[in-house]
Amino acid sequence: MTRAGAVGSFTKSAWLELGLGVLAKSGPEALTIERLVGEAGKTKGSFYHHFTSHQGFVIDLLSHWHAGHTQALIAAANAEPMADRKRTLDQLALGLDFAIEIGVRRLAAVEPVAQDMVREVDEHRIAYLAHLNAGRRRLESQAA
């Protein structure tokens, strides 16, 4: 197999999913490049093909978490009628791996860039819930 073929066989998304799994299972101290390449069975070159540095990986990992654990849920909820959105959001949130959420918050305790991202995600989540509650109140007042 060529070097390019080996790099192409483990995608950036696969690295990020692996990172979330390691974070959930073993905590932020396990998010080393050595641990990740060992778990992936890949070389550091494969890792660096997708990420410029460990810090770049952490930033991309947090963005991936935000996309999958917040933005995707909001998009799915928004596809529903307003009256059903909170229930849909609740059901989707209950299906998430809560160990990932704990891992991300543990990472935020030791990584300043993670602190900033977690704060932004929390603000995004709270704003969306406020939006849903305002919409429900409007629906309830219109029905009364």
Side-chain angles (χ1 to χ4, degrees):
M1 178 184 296
T2 68
R3 182 177 170 94
V7 169
S9 66
F10 205 74
T11 65
K12 183 175 186 176
S13 180
W15 280 110
L16 296 171
E17 284 298 313
L18 174 65
L20 287 178
V22 168
L23 186 60
K25 181 179 175 186
S26 303
E29 58 280 353
L31 277 184
T32 65
I33 294 171
E34 291 76 18
R35 170 82 180 260
L36 293 167
V37 299
E39 295 256 345
K42 298 294 178 184
T43 65
K44 286 184 181 181
S46 176
F47 178 88
Y48 286 115
H49 174 75
H50 297 289
F51 309 100
T52 58
S53 65
H54 183 265
Q55 180 82 356
F57 170 76
V58 169
I59 291 167
D60 287 353
L61 181 69
L62 293 166
S63 294
H64 184 72
W65 162 73
H66 182 211
H69 286 241
T70 301
Q71 293 171 324
L73 278 67
I74 290 171
N78 282 340
E80 300 293 329
M82 180 58 87
D84 298 330
R85 289 180 185 174
K86 186 167 183 323
R87 183 174 7 92
T88 298
L89 184 66
D90 288 345
Q91 290 171 344
L92 293 170
L94 288 172
L96 295 174
D97 182 350
F98 197 65
I100 292 173
E101 189 77 16
I102 292 169
V104 167
R105 290 176 186 280
R106 287 182 59 205
L107 181 62
V110 297
E111 286 278 346
V113 69
Q115 291 171 4
D116 293 341
M117 177 65 92
V118 168
R119 185 173 27 268
E120 290 173 23
V121 169
D122 285 347
E123 289 170 1
H124 186 189
R125 290 172 175 178
I126 291 166
Y128 184 70
L129 289 171
H131 165 76
L132 285 182
N133 286 332
R136 290 186 73 138
R137 283 195 295 275
R138 279 193 301 275
L139 285 175
E140 290 168 359
S141 67
Q142 290 171 355

